[in-house]
Amino acid sequence: MAVPTFVDRVTLHVSAGRGGNGVASVHREKFKPLGGPDGGNGGPGGSVILRVDPDVTTLLDYHHSPRRRAEHGGHGAGGHRNGGHGADLVLPVPDGTVVTDARGEVLADLVGPGTEMVVAHGGRGGLGNAALASSKRKAPGFALLGEPGDELEIHLELKVVADVGLVGFPSAGKSSLIAALSRARPKIADYPFTTLVPNLGVVTAGDTVFTVADVPGLIEGAAEGRGLGHDFLRHIERCAALVHVVDTATMEPGRNPVDDLDVIEGELSRYGGLEDRPRLVALNKVDVPDGAEIAAMVTEEIEERGLRVFPVSAASGEGLRALAFAMAGIVDEARRARPVAEAQRIVIRPRSVDGADDFSVAETDQGWRVRGDKPERWVRQTDFSNDEAVGFLADRLNRLGVEERLLELGAREGDTVLIGPDENAVVFDFKPGADAGAEALGRRGSDTRFDDSRPAARRRRAIDEAMTERGEGEARADVARRVDRSSGVGPMSYEIGSADDPDWADDDPGGSAG
């Protein structure tokens, strides 16, 4: 099997990096028993980026390696250390690459050196428990997982960016013409379909420098798939002008330059989208005596159609200068009319099924199905092996209004609730928070050790308030004793040896301290 050297269509499977997980950690230091949460966040995963590189002219690399994956983000660590960012994967593509999805929808048309497209976005890193802490949840015992990166299948199709396109029958001399006008050296032979891939050449005419491309020879029926040219007609879609290269010295019976011109125009018309391109006609091979005579006979008839005709010879160079300057004039005019193209960065994000901020609830045969960007993203971030993390997910869904919507639609305790698409849904048993006694249990993630309403904190606030009214010479200890006597609380608010004494042993028959 022959190894291809030019590829202009590939199917690429791209996977962005997964975000790193956050970590649940508690600061530990001598004499600081309540150091607090210090778990760092996970790093975001790397994205897959397509970037136009003028040095790349084919999609051959992706033909051999069609699966590409970006780097995953690093996990968080204790001590407020965040995970590292996953490295982006930059894939160079030729100028003029069209990107489509699996359904054939065009995602981007990458034209211009440096133009970028983020085709697969890296997953976000999960938050550590330090980032999840709040005034109400001071000691979270859980962290969020990193999100998976985008995974999708895309199709890359190359449409060569050239200023002038050469079209014509096989062996009309298109490759010879490019070789004579530029330094390109395409394969040239005396049999049809020598050109198997598009050829590009750079032509200089005065102060104008432009590119010329030819496609494999067209034959009648090419637009319907005959021959080779139908595979490459798209490479002339971007051209500012088309040049018909007509063979005036063909030996095939029944062919003449006018009929050849009609056949090629018919194929271009059936292909579509090229009607507005200016046309030039190059009557090639006038160095052959019969070719010169035939060119003289048909020039007037072709000019009557409004086309400019140039008798040329790729072998001797006759007429090539006039043809090059005519092409340069059309290219200059097209460039002046074309707006200046700037390199752009295109970010493609998957569409939300039911809106980015909203959600939907529908009753199905499997149960109540919840769809939406936020609920599905929160489910992906949840570590279901951690009860507190599951409770945090329930709190988020409740604040979003999912539980209220389910109750409005008639959901009952014990009903099945599915969050996510059919093929990858997470299943829950519906249990409303009020019925479960969530309010009585207190907010998930709370820690009474950090609660400002505990007795010791109340005593300190009472002492601070009494200090503003202390008498002359009264120290803080005196104020504290006065407050303790008035409130009946304090470190010495019980009688030694009484039943309130924590050191008194009730089971001691002698009544002595334990």
Side-chain angles (χ1 to χ4, degrees):
M1 181 178 179
V3 177
T5 58
F6 178 85
V7 175
D8 58 356
R9 280 181 177 174
V10 295
T11 298
L12 196 60
H13 303 268
V14 294
S15 301
R18 183 184 184 90
N21 298 335
V23 67
S25 173
V26 177
H27 180 71
R28 301 184 183 278
E29 186 177 346
K30 191 175 182 180
F31 304 124
K32 289 186 178 181
L34 303 179
D38 68 347
N41 303 330
S47 299
V48 180
I49 302 173
L50 303 179
R51 178 182 297 165
V52 174
D53 187 340
D55 295 329
V56 178
T57 58
T58 177
L59 300 171
L60 182 62
D61 288 346
Y62 309 119
H63 172 76
H64 295 304
S65 302
R67 297 185 179 275
R68 302 299 177 100
R69 180 182 295 275
E71 188 177 288
H72 296 312
H75 298 313
H80 300 283
R81 290 173 292 177
N82 296 332
H85 290 220
D88 292 336
L89 177 63
V90 179
L91 303 178
V93 296
D95 195 0
T97 300
V98 178
V99 187
T100 58
D101 60 16
R103 297 169 297 185
E105 182 179 350
V106 176
L107 300 177
D109 190 355
L110 304 179
V111 178
T115 300
E116 290 185 354
M117 171 187 177
V118 182
V119 66
H121 205 274
R124 282 177 285 194
L127 296 178
N129 64 341
L132 294 171
S134 65
S135 59
K136 299 295 185 180
R137 181 182 286 105
K138 296 188 176 182
F142 66 98
L144 299 184
L145 303 179
E147 295 184 52
D150 297 336
E151 293 189 20
L152 66 158
E153 176 185 292
I154 58 174
H155 303 285
L156 305 182
E157 181 179 357
L158 174 59
K159 294 182 180 180
V160 170
V161 180
D163 297 302
V164 178
L166 306 183
V167 294
F169 269 77
S171 298
K174 301 184 296 298
S175 298
S176 300
L177 199 59
I178 281 187
L181 290 169
S182 68
R183 293 189 177 184
R185 293 296 175 262
K187 181 179 179 180
I188 300 173
D190 59 352
Y191 54 84
F193 298 113
T194 307
T195 301
L196 300 179
V197 299
N199 295 311
L200 278 175
V202 180
V203 181
T204 302
D207 296 332
T208 304
V209 179
F210 58 95
T211 55
V212 179
D214 77 327
V215 298
L218 301 176
I219 60 175
E220 189 171 5
E224 287 76 36
R226 293 188 61 196
L228 297 176
H230 71 286
D231 283 333
F232 301 100
L233 278 172
R234 63 182 174 277
H235 290 296
I236 59 174
E237 290 182 10
R238 305 183 190 276
C239 296
L242 301 180
V243 176
H244 284 280
V245 182
V246 181
D247 187 355
T248 60
T250 180
M251 302 298 292
E252 296 183 27
R255 281 183 54 189
N256 64 75
V258 177
D259 290 343
D260 287 357
L261 184 62
D262 291 338
V263 169
I264 300 304
E265 276 294 339
E267 296 305 319
L268 295 178
S269 177
R270 279 190 286 274
Y271 183 77
L274 301 171
E275 294 78 8
D276 59 338
R277 305 297 195 280
R279 263 77 159 169
L280 302 175
V281 178
L283 299 176
N284 195 21
K285 303 182 182 179
V286 295
D287 57 301
V288 179
D290 291 343
E293 294 178 7
I294 293 176
M297 293 170 52
V298 302
T299 297
E300 184 177 354
E301 181 178 354
I302 296 175
E303 288 179 341
E304 290 177 354
R305 303 184 181 187
L307 300 174
R308 298 172 63 187
V309 180
F310 298 86
V312 299
S313 170
S316 65
E318 180 181 347
L320 295 184
R321 180 177 175 82
L323 176 62
F325 275 89
M327 292 189 290
I330 296 177
V331 171
D332 281 338
E333 184 177 350
R335 289 175 178 174
R336 286 193 296 268
R338 185 188 310 155
V340 179
E342 298 181 358
Q344 54 183 327
R345 180 180 175 89
I346 306 169
V347 180
I348 302 298
R349 299 182 186 274
R351 295 186 181 92
S352 174
V353 178
D354 296 296
D357 298 321
D358 203 359
F359 65 92
S360 66
V361 179
E363 187 175 10
T364 65
D365 296 338
Q366 294 80 21
W368 299 93
R369 186 172 296 278
V370 179
R371 298 302 308 273
D373 180 70
K374 284 186 176 180
E376 295 179 30
R377 174 161 52 87
W378 292 343
V379 165
R380 292 193 299 266
Q381 293 175 332
T382 301
D383 178 9
F384 287 96
S385 64
N386 187 305
D387 292 339
E388 192 176 342
V390 176
F392 180 67
L393 171 64
D395 286 341
R396 301 175 91 179
L397 295 174
N398 190 27
R399 287 196 299 271
L400 188 63
V402 174
E403 183 177 303
E404 182 179 355
R405 184 78 59 84
L406 285 167
L407 292 173
E408 289 176 355
L409 295 176
R412 299 180 179 179
E413 183 175 352
D415 286 356
T416 301
V417 178
L418 304 94
I419 300 180
D422 296 340
E423 63 277 5
N424 191 27
V426 178
V427 182
F428 299 91
D429 290 332
F430 183 50
K431 191 173 184 180
D435 295 340
E439 289 81 0
L441 295 175
R443 189 178 181 87
R444 298 177 180 93
S446 60
D447 191 327
T448 57
R449 296 176 300 171
F450 293 96
D451 194 349
D452 289 339
S453 64
R454 64 189 189 275
R458 290 199 303 269
R459 178 173 178 267
R460 283 197 300 271
R461 285 197 296 271
I463 294 173
D464 292 338
E465 293 174 0
M467 285 289 290
T468 60
E469 301 176 356
R470 63 178 177 174
E472 184 177 355
E474 192 175 22
R476 183 179 178 86
D478 300 323
V479 175
R481 282 191 291 269
R482 175 159 50 82
V483 170
D484 292 341
R485 285 194 300 270
S486 63
S487 61
V489 298
M492 298 295 291
S493 60
Y494 58 87
E495 182 180 352
I496 297 176
S498 67
D500 296 329
D501 188 347
D503 295 327
W504 183 259
D506 292 336
D507 56 350
D508 188 349
S512 59

